[in-house]
């Protein structure tokens, strides 16, 4: 998450965090071992939540980056409980 949010700081385009999440999820599918859908969905959901927080802020503010990271971390609670 820190890498994705840092990437957004250097590439301040809307959708860049979501795209970083998609690329990361695709790289996860290429990792050795069997490919599972759960981590793929979780990585994309985390990217979407971070992007949503940054989109709501409209301008890159520190609180938006903190909120985006918190939302992405919060996704782990319902994802791991299922």
């Amino acid at each position: 998450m820190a890498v994705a949010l840092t990437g957004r700081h250097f590439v301040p385009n809307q959708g860049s965090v979501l795209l970083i999440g998609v690329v990361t999820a695709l790289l996860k599918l290429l990792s050795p071992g069997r490919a599972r859908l759960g981590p793929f969905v979780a990585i994309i959901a985390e990217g979407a939540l971070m992007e949503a927080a940054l989109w709501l802020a409209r301008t890159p503010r520190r609180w938006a980056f903190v909120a985006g990271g918190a939302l992405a971390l919060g996704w782990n609670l319902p994802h791991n409980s299922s």
Side-chain angles (χ1 to χ4, degrees), residues 31-51:
S31 66
R34 62 176 206 187
R36 294 190 304 164
L37 190 60
F40 180 79
V41 172
I43 292 169
I44 290 180
E46 290 170 357
L49 288 169
M50 287 187 284
E51 189 63 47

Side-chain angles (χ1 to χ4, degrees), residues 60-80:
R61 305 252 186 223
R62 182 175 292 168
W63 67 266
F65 283 86
V66 171
L71 283 172
L73 282 174
W75 166 255
N76 289 326
L77 297 173
H79 175 71
N80 288 335

Side-chain angles (χ1 to χ4, degrees), residues 21-22 32 45 60 72 82:
V22 169
S82 60

Side-chain angles (χ1 to χ4, degrees), residues 7-69:
R8 173 64 183 256
H9 180 72
F10 289 108
V11 182
N13 299 333
Q14 281 189 338
S16 60
V17 173
L18 183 59
L19 186 60
I20 291 170
V22 169
V23 169
T24 305
L26 290 173
L27 288 173
K28 178 66 177 165
L29 285 179
L30 294 174
S31 66
R34 62 176 206 187
R36 294 190 304 164
L37 190 60
F40 180 79
V41 172
I43 292 169
I44 290 180
E46 290 170 357
L49 288 169
M50 287 187 284
E51 189 63 47
L54 294 171
W55 180 78
L56 288 173
R58 302 280 186 216
T59 58
R61 305 252 186 223
R62 182 175 292 168
W63 67 266
F65 283 86
V66 171

